[in-house]
Amino acid sequence: MDGKRTWVATFSAVLLILLSHETSALEVPLDPKVLEGLPQPPTITLQSPKDYIFDPRENIVIHCEAKGKPHPGFSWTRNGTHFDVESDSKVLMKPGSGTLVIDISGGKAEAYEGTYQCIVHNEHGTALSNKVVIRQSRSPLWTKERNEVIQVQTGDFLVLHCRPPAGLPPPDIVWMDSNFQRLPLDSRVSQALNGDLYFSNVLPEDSRPDYICYARFPHTQTIQQKQPISVTVLNNSPRGEHRPSFMTPLGATSTKMALRGETLVLECIAEGLPTPNITWQKDGGELPTGRKKFHNFQKMLQIHDVTEADAGDYRCKATNSLGVAQHVIKVTVKAAPFWIGAPRNLILAPNETGILTCRVGGEPKPKINWFVNGVSIDNAPKDRSRKVDDDTVILSHVQSGSSAVYQCNASNEFGYLLANAFVSVLAEPPRVLTPPNRVYQVITNNPALLHCASFGSPIPTITWFKDMQISIKNGDHYVIHENGTLEIHVAQPLNSGKYTCIATNNLGIRENHVYLEVKEPTRILTPPEYKVVQRGMSASFECKVKHDPSLVPTMSWLKDNEELPDDERFVVGEDRLTIKDVTDEDQGTYTCNTNTTLDQDSASAMLTVVGKPDPPTGLELTDQMERSVQLSWTPGDEHNSPTQKFLIQYEDLLHQPGVWLNLTEVEGSITKAQLNLSPYIYYSFRVFAVNQVGYSEPSQPSSQYRTNPAAPDENPTNVQGIGKTAENLVISWTPLTGFQSNGPGLVYKVQWRQKDVDEDWSSESVANVSHFVVSGIPTYVPYEIKVQALNDYGNGPEPEVMIGYSGEDLPLSGPDNVQVIVHNSTLAEVHWEPVPPSSVRGKLLGYKVYYQRERGLHEAEGEAMKEEHTLTFSGNRSDGRLPGLRPYSLYNLSIRALNSKGEGPTSQTKTFETLEGVPGPPSFLNVINPTLDSLTLKWGPPKENNGRLIGYTLTYQPVNTTSVLGPLQTKNFLANETTIILENLNSSMLYEFHLTAKTIKGSGPARVEEAVTVMDTMPPLGPAFGTVNTSISEEGAAISWDYFGRHKNVYVEYMVENSKDDWKKELVNGSHWHMIKGLKPGTSYKVRVVARDPADPTVHSTDEVLVAVPAVLSRQVDIATQGWFIGLMCVIALLILVLLIVCFIKRNKGGKYPVKEKEDAHQDPEIQPMKEDDGTFGEYSDTEDHKPLKGSRTPSNGTVRRDESDDSLVDYGEGGDGQFNEDGSFIGQYSGKKEKDTHEGNESSEAPSPVNAMNSFV
């Protein structure tokens, strides 16, 4: 038996699940056009809250709005009985609705307090509203009471009770004084939830006579106050520090109940000295994050939206330095009924089955009662199709006319829930509610939802087709939802197309077409990039977008997620944002947004505006000492570029006012510096900040800081002694600056004495000068010198001793024993004995050698020009070399000693001769009197013999531009020979000659010349070409020419006719014939021969010759010379002549078109030259006048040009397709046109005529 029950229960559960799935899809459509024709039970759309507290100064308005078909009627109950609205003149029901408006003015408002419920009904059922409890707001007065003065010892705790009157709703409490000023609350003084004022410990300043508790009633907007409470704090027996203990709640534990979904408020207030700190924890768990808040200085814990999990033990701890007190609040969570699943309206077709479920939660578990049309289902008429099972009503095989409204009431001790759900039994054919031909657009890779909203009873079945052919089933790519919507998880371009949804039930079928377009996504290809820009410059952000061609994107720019400032400096282009003259306020994040109707993309970039730092401020001088002071400052704004360093400058107001000098630098992270100072300076300081952009403006100067005078710390620098004349010594130095003087009365003590002589120092004190002259002393003597600084406060440090010399004089003697050693023809070495040091009379700088070429040894005295030279040898030397001498020459030489004053006396003059060398080249070499086989050479002696000339050597051989053409021949000549005739040479040959002169040392450099023997015939002057001949063969184009020139480089150049390419060159030196290979068949080339010589800018060239390369080269003999071909041509000519005669005969028979009159009338200038003198029609003539000129060619296309041929007969008709009448005359009227208009016929060449046909074979 138990097994059977289990099976039945299981089956019922499964049936309920299936039925729930079946009926949950059909809902009442919202489309008004659909609703117009459907009956509908009443549905409440607006009602008042369950608890309604009204202000007696205003009307009571209880809302009850509903819809249905037909429109429902309304009635009310009050306190469970019918409320006759019409019988009470103060009660008005709004037309078309059930909303009540109760006028309570001038009457007793409490008479309308009670529980109201709205009943809504039409012929298809009855709906009930919630029960609304109407109560009047109240603000009762405080009961009269007399408050005694409260006395309390310092350090003790205190509680001031408020006890406000019970109002509706409860009042808000606040403590104030008699001046309506709120009393300050803190961790020591706090207000509890019940309005009482708690003091954890009392202080003397808490004494006051006006602690007043105020109660504010929100509905009536009234405030009432309690009698003032006077508190006196005594200090005659103060309570010392003590451990915490709780004032509220009392004891170790307490309980608290909270309702699910409401706010749990826990409170712990403790007393103690020092004032305790309150902390909270939950035993065995954590306080809920995100829903907890602490108030009243941690004394109050609030947890919002309470759940069952918030139940448990909450522990509050009060802690001070003397101990800890704890209190546990046990929290339980109850729940008024709440919906898990409210019953939903059902639309059923006849004989369908459906269920209503009323799923609720609550603690304790709510009790569920069902009503039908406002009547308890137990008291309603019996219905066999209806079965109630706790929270479920099963309706089986419903019939037409069984529509009703069911109410579910769930209640427990904390409240109730009431829900209406109608069951409407309808029989409706399918309707597709989605508009037809709707176009859905989605972005690639996004889901696509194609809707097919339908209505029908029974619920229509939805099927989908793509392009009216492909049936769509649930699968990996497609999902058909219960509401008929087709979802494509990841739409691709191939999913685009036409989709058809079909809605079907047993009453009919409907279809609807929609379209899907899958678009390419909008993407930012080039996003804006991070920019660092200086103030005053321009910043530019780029944002390039790729999008579907059918979508039009719009681009917008944001700054820090807000619109760009309304400033003309912001220029928005097509794909760019430019900010001109950037300021600090322009810094931020710039976002490029590109939107289409389907998608959007965005990208952001930061703009950082950098600038020079602001100047430091707040300069302060501290740690002021005799020789130092500390300077500190406050840095200015860095403007997004870190400060790299600070530069500190000073101004000396005593010695250099207005001049700022650099003192020191410190790192950018340091804001103070210890400055070393000098005495006797009136300092003022300023600071620059330096970053990557540049220097800031200077800070404001610091306050003035004066240092006391002192003796000098240093002596003058650059002390030196130099004699200006032979008998003085000038001692000079670099003076101290006012900054270095350290005090007033600065003078310089100058001291000197001769070095290595036992004598005292001589001294002299001078001021405001930088040198001192010591006179009357020996020439060039070393002196010890020193200069010391003194002022009114003492002497400077002991000065350093420097060495100086008195003035110099010219040396007294020259070098002795001068000797010359000749090494070769161009180099000699000179030696001498140095002068004695005593005769130098100064610092020896070196020796100066004077040497002069008198003449060549082969020259007589007085013939040559003398050449003077000098060489200086630095230092104390006794020898030197004389390079660059001329060979075979006579030289004299002398030497002088040098010091800074000048040169001393000259030494004895020494004479020497250089050796022989090789001679220079001959002065000239000329080739004269060229003949067929001889050349005459004439030359001159070298300009520089460099020795005794003993003869000449001549070498020669025939050459061309690139190579040698014959053996080298040599001839020697005596020194007195300067001409030679060379015979037995080759005619028209280029020779190269080398002629050198020689001495006993050998031959010198050669002089080179070239010359050409003459040809058999006398050529024209200068380079020239003769006739150029061309011929074509299978190998290429053969070019031959005559050339009389002597140029080294001869080229054959060629290019394609009418081409813009450069000439192609082939070198052909030493030849008069050349084959050009690789030419393209069927192409004409221009050819020329060119001669060039690097030594001659003139270019010689032949005339251009045109060479035509045939398309196909044939080895056969010319066909025009064959007898059979000539005979064939004669036969063809005879046939054409006969045909021409026949045509003339036919034409003359027509008689309708007098050609002569037509010709005379038209007088066509192109026709006139074709006529004879008698004015008749010009016939074909083979006279000599019509033959082509000798050497002329027939055009390549085989036709004769129009001005060389007779007119065709067709030219005299309207077109080329003229027809004849039966009598042989032309149908068309004679026009006299010579050429056809292109728009009147085809565009081919002119119609053939007998004349042209004949000419084509000539």
Side-chain angles (χ1 to χ4, degrees):
M1 188 70 179
D2 293 339
K4 184 177 180 181
R5 289 178 178 174
T6 302
W7 180 87
V8 171
T10 304
F11 175 76
S12 300
V14 173
L15 177 62
L16 289 176
I17 294 173
L18 292 175
L19 291 174
S20 174
H21 178 75
E22 179 182 355
T23 60
S24 62
L26 186 57
E27 297 182 358
V28 178
L30 300 178
D31 190 343
K33 295 181 179 179
V34 178
L35 292 175
E36 286 178 1
L38 293 178
Q40 183 179 349
T43 300
I44 295 177
T45 58
L46 177 65
Q47 56 184 321
S48 294
K50 296 177 183 179
D51 194 9
Y52 184 176
I53 300 174
F54 67 89
D55 186 341
R57 297 170 297 181
E58 298 178 354
N59 290 339
I60 302 172
V61 179
I62 312 174
H63 294 285
C64 183
E65 304 286 342
K67 65 180 181 179
K69 187 69 173 183
H71 190 73
F74 299 89
S75 61
W76 286 86
T77 64
R78 185 172 70 176
N79 298 327
T81 61
H82 175 68
F83 179 45
D84 189 359
V85 175
E86 296 181 354
S87 63
D88 193 336
S89 60
K90 291 185 173 293
V91 179
L92 173 67
M93 183 185 296
K94 289 186 176 181
S97 76
T99 299
L100 295 182
V101 179
I102 304 175
D103 182 6
I104 58 175
S105 61
K108 293 184 177 181
E110 59 269 16
Y112 291 98
E113 291 184 325
T115 301
Y116 291 78
Q117 187 173 31
C118 179
I119 302 170
V120 185
H121 53 86
N122 67 8
E123 61 188 61
H124 302 293
T126 301
L128 300 179
S129 73
N130 290 324
K131 293 182 179 179
V132 182
V133 178
I134 305 296
R135 294 182 294 171
Q136 178 182 346
S137 63
R138 291 178 173 84
S139 53
L141 298 176
W142 242 295
T143 57
K144 294 293 185 179
E145 60 180 0
R146 182 175 180 182
N147 294 325
E148 301 291 338
V149 175
I150 298 175
Q151 294 184 342
V152 61
Q153 292 290 336
T154 301
D156 209 347
F157 71 91
L158 174 64
V159 180
L160 301 181
H161 298 288
C162 180
R163 301 190 185 96
L168 186 66
D172 299 325
I173 304 300
V174 62
W175 285 83
M176 293 190 289
D177 59 17
S178 57
N179 294 322
F180 296 99
Q181 298 298 314
R182 283 179 177 264
L183 297 179
L185 302 179
D186 52 29
S187 59
R188 185 179 64 88
V189 182
S190 56
Q191 179 180 312
L193 291 173
N194 62 1
D196 292 346
L197 192 63
Y198 284 80
F199 294 78
S200 296
N201 50 77
V202 176
L203 300 177
E205 54 265 28
D206 294 329
S207 294
R208 63 187 309 149
D210 55 351
Y211 285 94
I212 305 173
C213 179
Y214 287 88
R216 176 182 174 273
F217 297 91
H219 272 61
T220 59
Q221 298 295 319
T222 58
I223 298 177
Q224 298 186 29
Q225 73 174 61
K226 185 183 178 71
Q227 291 295 321
I229 301 174
S230 178
V231 174
T232 302
V233 180
L234 305 177
N235 202 23
N236 53 3
S237 180
R239 185 178 181 183
E241 294 185 350
H242 53 279
R243 292 166 52 88
S245 63
F246 284 100
M247 295 186 284
T248 182
L250 300 176
T253 62
S254 59
T255 60
K256 182 75 172 181
M257 189 273 290
L259 290 179
R260 179 183 182 274
E262 296 185 357
T263 299
L264 170 65
V265 181
L266 304 180
E267 182 179 53
C268 283
I269 301 177
E271 61 93 9
L273 188 65
T275 302
N277 293 322
I278 305 297
T279 59
W280 294 85
Q281 69 182 51
K282 183 180 181 184
D283 293 348
E286 298 290 335
L287 295 176
T289 57
R291 294 188 293 118
K292 72 174 186 299
K293 287 185 179 180
F294 295 102
H295 299 281
N296 201 10
F297 306 95
Q298 298 287 108
K299 299 174 187 178
M300 183 189 301
L301 168 63
Q302 282 188 348
I303 298 177
H304 300 280
D305 196 16
V306 171
T307 66
E308 289 80 354
D310 294 325
D313 294 345
Y314 290 79
R315 186 180 303 273
C316 61
K317 292 183 180 181
T319 306
N320 69 6
S321 58
L322 299 180
V324 178
Q326 302 186 40
H327 182 88
V328 176
I329 304 176
K330 298 181 179 296
V331 175
T332 58
V333 177
K334 302 293 183 180
F338 59 90
W339 290 116
I340 297 175
R344 300 175 64 185
N345 298 329
L346 288 180
I347 299 179
L348 301 175
N351 296 316
E352 280 191 335
T353 298
I355 63 171
L356 295 172
T357 57
C358 185
R359 307 290 172 113
V360 294
E363 180 59 35
K365 182 179 179 180
K367 179 181 178 182
I368 295 177
N369 293 308
W370 285 96
F371 297 81
V372 57
N373 294 329
V375 178
S376 174
I377 204 164
D378 296 333
N379 300 328
K382 298 298 181 183
D383 187 346
R384 293 182 180 181
S385 65
R386 180 174 62 219
K387 181 181 178 180
V388 179
D389 184 5
D390 191 22
D391 60 355
T392 303
V393 175
I394 303 173
L395 302 171
S396 305
H397 305 291
V398 296
Q399 300 300 316
S400 298
S402 60
S403 298
V405 181
Y406 289 79
Q407 288 84 33
C408 170
N409 184 295
S411 61
N412 65 11
E413 60 185 280
F414 300 109
Y416 75 94
L417 291 175
L418 176 66
N420 292 276
F422 67 72
V423 176
S424 181
V425 181
L426 296 174
E428 289 288 328
R431 304 186 192 184
V432 178
L433 306 180
T434 301
N437 299 317
R438 173 175 286 182
V439 178
Y440 295 91
Q441 295 179 331
V442 296
I443 297 298
T444 302
N445 295 326
N446 284 343
L449 296 175
L450 309 183
H451 299 298
C452 185
S454 63
F455 177 75
S457 185
I459 300 174
T461 301
I462 304 298
T463 55
W464 281 92
F465 294 87
K466 184 177 188 297
D467 298 327
M468 296 299 294
Q469 296 176 352
I470 303 172
S471 177
I472 297 175
K473 306 294 183 183
N474 276 321
D476 294 337
H477 301 293
Y478 298 97
V479 173
I480 300 177
H481 293 278
E482 290 184 4
N483 63 356
T485 296
L486 173 64
E487 179 178 0
I488 304 174
H489 290 305
V490 182
Q492 299 296 326
L494 58 86
N495 297 128
S496 298
K498 178 181 179 181
Y499 288 79
T500 302
C501 78
I502 299 178
T504 308
N505 69 7
N506 57 3
L507 299 177
I509 182 171
R510 290 290 186 273
E511 71 175 29
N512 190 44
H513 306 292
V514 296
Y515 298 87
L516 176 63
E517 295 178 356
V518 182
K519 308 290 187 179
E520 289 296 319
T522 302
R523 291 292 178 265
I524 294 176
L525 298 182
T526 306
E529 297 179 346
Y530 174 71
K531 300 284 186 183
V532 178
V533 180
Q534 293 185 25
R535 278 182 293 182
M537 305 297 287
S538 293
S540 181
F541 291 106
E542 187 178 27
C543 186
K544 292 189 175 179
V545 178
K546 178 184 178 182
H547 61 89
D548 191 279
S550 63
L551 300 178
V552 179
T554 58
M555 182 179 292
S556 61
W557 290 86
L558 301 177
K559 178 182 181 293
D560 298 329
N561 294 323
E562 296 182 358
E563 291 185 0
L564 293 178
D566 185 13
D567 191 332
E568 62 183 8
R569 295 184 301 107
F570 288 79
V571 180
V572 178
E574 181 179 355
D575 55 5
R576 187 178 301 273
L577 169 64
T578 302
I579 309 171
K580 300 178 181 178
D581 192 18
V582 170
T583 65
D584 291 338
E585 290 72 21
D586 298 333
Q587 179 169 298
T589 300
Y590 289 84
T591 302
C592 165
N593 286 327
T594 178
N595 295 274
T596 66
T597 54
L598 298 182
D599 67 342
Q600 65 89 31
D601 196 11
S602 64
S604 299
M606 180 73 182
L607 173 62
T608 299
V609 180
V610 297
K612 298 178 182 178
D614 289 343
T617 57
L619 273 63
E620 184 178 2
L621 298 174
T622 57
D623 298 341
Q624 299 178 1
M625 304 181 69
E626 193 70 24
R627 291 292 185 95
S628 68
V629 70
Q630 178 172 282
L631 175 66
S632 59
W633 60 88
T634 301
D637 193 338
E638 295 180 329
H639 295 293
N640 299 313
S641 181
T643 301
Q644 298 172 333
K645 64 181 180 180
F646 291 99
L647 171 64
I648 302 172
Q649 293 184 335
Y650 74 93
E651 178 189 18
D652 184 356
L653 297 171
L654 178 62
H655 303 98
Q656 289 182 295
V659 178
W660 289 91
L661 302 173
N662 294 343
L663 180 59
T664 188
E665 294 179 352
V666 297
E667 295 181 4
S669 59
I670 300 174
T671 59
K672 61 182 179 181
Q674 193 73 26
L675 306 179
N676 295 321
L677 308 179
S678 296
Y680 196 52
I681 304 294
Y682 293 178
Y683 282 101
S684 181
F685 303 100
R686 69 181 184 183
V687 183
F688 290 84
V690 185
N691 64 9
Q692 191 172 5
V693 180
Y695 284 77
S696 71
E697 294 296 320
S699 67
Q700 292 296 319
S702 69
S703 58
Q704 191 181 116
Y705 185 70
R706 299 185 180 186
T707 54
N708 296 322
D713 293 326
E714 54 187 311
N715 289 312
T717 57
N718 297 325
V719 176
Q720 55 184 349
I722 300 175
K724 299 297 184 181
T725 67
E727 297 180 350
N728 74 3
L729 172 66
V730 178
I731 302 173
S732 62
W733 61 89
T734 300
L736 298 181
T737 64
F739 181 83
Q740 297 169 316
S741 65
N742 287 5
L746 178 66
V747 297
Y748 302 103
K749 183 179 180 181
V750 183
Q751 303 177 71
W752 69 94
R753 69 180 179 184
Q754 189 172 340
K755 189 175 182 296
D756 300 328
V757 176
D758 187 13
E759 63 180 19
D760 293 334
W761 289 89
S762 300
S763 67
E764 189 74 31
S765 293
V766 295
N768 300 323
V769 296
S770 59
H771 67 276
F772 179 76
V773 179
V774 181
S775 302
I777 56 178
T779 301
Y780 201 66
V781 174
Y783 278 84
E784 294 179 326
I785 56 178
K786 56 184 179 180
V787 180
Q788 185 179 26
L790 298 78
N791 65 17
D792 294 347
Y793 290 84
N795 298 342
E798 182 63 27
E800 181 183 0
V801 176
M802 309 297 291
I803 302 299
Y805 285 85
S806 57
E808 300 184 38
D809 207 346
L810 295 175
L812 295 175
S813 62
D816 294 330
N817 195 19
V818 177
Q819 301 292 328
V820 177
I821 302 173
V822 177
H823 290 286
N824 54 42
S825 60
T826 60
L827 177 65
E829 186 174 338
V830 60
H831 294 262
W832 66 86
E833 289 184 4
V835 296
S838 59
S839 69
V840 177
R841 298 204 296 178
K843 183 178 180 180
L844 180 64
L845 299 181
Y847 293 90
K848 194 170 186 179
V849 178
Y850 291 84
Y851 59 101
Q852 176 177 281
R853 181 179 183 271
E854 295 291 332
R855 60 180 173 83
L857 294 177
H858 62 287
E859 297 173 332
E861 292 187 11
E863 288 186 6
M865 295 182 62
K866 297 182 178 181
E867 301 174 1
E868 294 186 355
H869 303 277
T870 60
L871 274 177
T872 301
F873 299 95
S874 301
N876 189 16
R877 295 183 55 170
S878 61
D879 62 81
R881 290 193 166 206
L882 305 178
L885 303 178
R886 293 177 61 179
Y888 202 54
S889 298
L890 177 65
Y891 283 87
N892 59 44
L893 175 147
S894 62
I895 304 174
R896 295 185 179 189
L898 286 174
N899 65 15
S900 59
K901 274 294 185 181
E903 302 174 5
T906 302
S907 67
Q908 292 182 347
T909 301
K910 185 70 176 179
T911 301
F912 65 95
E913 296 177 356
T914 57
L915 303 178
E916 288 190 62
V918 297
S923 57
F924 65 90
L925 174 60
N926 294 331
V927 181
I928 59 177
N929 301 325
T931 67
L932 291 176
D933 59 354
S934 67
L935 292 171
T936 301
L937 274 66
K938 189 174 183 180
W939 63 88
K943 293 182 179 180
E944 297 177 353
N945 289 347
N946 294 339
R948 292 182 291 274
L949 198 65
I950 61 175
Y952 299 92
T953 298
L954 174 67
T955 60
Y956 63 96
Q957 62 188 139
V959 298
N960 63 14
T961 57
T962 59
S963 60
V964 175
L965 301 180
L968 183 67
Q969 300 187 38
T970 304
K971 291 182 179 294
N972 293 310
F973 306 99
L974 297 176
N976 59 355
E977 293 184 85
T978 59
T979 184
I980 181 65
I981 298 175
L982 299 178
E983 298 180 336
N984 299 322
L985 302 178
N986 296 328
S987 64
S988 187
M989 182 64 67
L990 176 66
Y991 286 85
E992 186 175 87
F993 302 96
H994 292 253
L995 180 66
T996 60
K998 55 186 177 181
T999 65
I1000 59 174
K1001 290 294 184 178
S1003 297
R1007 185 168 295 279
V1008 181
E1009 287 294 336
E1010 289 183 349
V1012 180
T1013 56
V1014 299
M1015 299 184 66
D1016 293 341
T1017 60
M1018 181 64 65
L1021 294 177
F1025 285 95
T1027 303
V1028 177
N1029 298 312
T1030 65
S1031 63
I1032 301 295
S1033 67
E1034 289 185 342
E1035 296 181 2
I1039 312 297
S1040 62
W1041 64 90
D1042 293 328
Y1043 178 56
F1044 310 107
R1046 49 179 288 191
H1047 287 70
K1048 292 182 178 180
N1049 299 326
V1050 179
Y1051 302 88
V1052 171
E1053 299 182 346
Y1054 61 97
M1055 66 182 295
V1056 176
E1057 186 181 15
N1058 299 325
S1059 172
K1060 295 183 179 179
D1061 296 338
D1062 294 333
W1063 290 88
K1064 297 181 180 179
K1065 301 179 182 178
E1066 295 185 7
L1067 186 64
V1068 294
N1069 288 342
S1071 175
H1072 296 274
W1073 178 90
H1074 182 69
M1075 176 71 72
I1076 305 176
K1077 298 181 180 181
L1079 299 180
K1080 185 176 180 182
T1083 306
S1084 296
Y1085 290 85
K1086 293 190 294 185
V1087 180
R1088 68 185 182 185
V1089 184
V1090 179
R1092 292 184 175 87
D1093 192 336
D1096 185 0
T1098 305
V1099 176
H1100 299 272
S1101 173
T1102 66
D1103 293 334
E1104 296 176 2
V1105 178
L1106 188 65
V1107 176
V1109 181
V1112 178
L1113 294 175
S1114 176
R1115 297 183 180 179
Q1116 298 178 358
V1117 296
D1118 190 356
I1119 191 174
T1121 63
Q1122 302 300 305
W1124 64 269
F1125 178 74
I1126 296 174
L1128 177 62
M1129 292 297 101
C1130 291
V1131 172
I1132 293 174
L1134 182 60
L1135 291 175
I1136 293 174
L1137 182 60
V1138 172
L1139 178 62
L1140 184 62
I1141 294 171
V1142 172
C1143 289
F1144 274 108
I1145 294 172
K1146 290 287 187 179
R1147 181 166 177 258
N1148 291 333
K1149 285 184 179 182
K1152 295 180 181 181
Y1153 303 96
V1155 175
K1156 186 174 187 309
E1157 286 84 347
K1158 292 285 186 179
E1159 291 177 349
D1160 292 340
H1162 284 280
Q1163 291 294 314
D1164 192 328
E1166 295 185 4
I1167 298 176
Q1168 296 304 320
M1170 303 299 295
K1171 296 180 181 180
E1172 299 293 341
D1173 295 338
D1174 58 358
T1176 60
F1177 182 81
E1179 298 181 355
Y1180 173 74
S1181 175
D1182 195 20
T1183 61
E1184 191 68 22
D1185 294 339
H1186 290 81
K1187 292 181 180 180
L1189 295 175
K1190 183 178 181 180
S1192 64
R1193 298 183 180 182
T1194 302
S1196 59
N1197 60 5
T1199 62
V1200 179
R1201 289 200 306 267
R1202 207 171 166 82
D1203 58 356
E1204 296 175 348
S1205 65
D1206 289 344
D1207 300 296
S1208 71
L1209 297 177
V1210 179
D1211 288 337
Y1212 290 91
E1214 289 297 320
D1217 55 353
Q1219 299 180 357
F1220 290 89
N1221 270 332
E1222 293 179 353
D1223 59 358
S1225 63
F1226 283 110
I1227 297 174
Q1229 176 71 19
Y1230 168 70
S1231 65
K1233 292 183 180 179
K1234 189 71 181 297
E1235 294 181 1
K1236 294 180 292 181
D1237 292 332
T1238 58
H1239 65 276
E1240 292 180 356
N1242 58 45
E1243 297 181 3
S1244 62
S1245 61
E1246 60 187 341
S1249 71
V1251 177
N1252 290 337
M1254 287 292 290
N1255 287 334
S1256 66
F1257 290 99
V1258 173

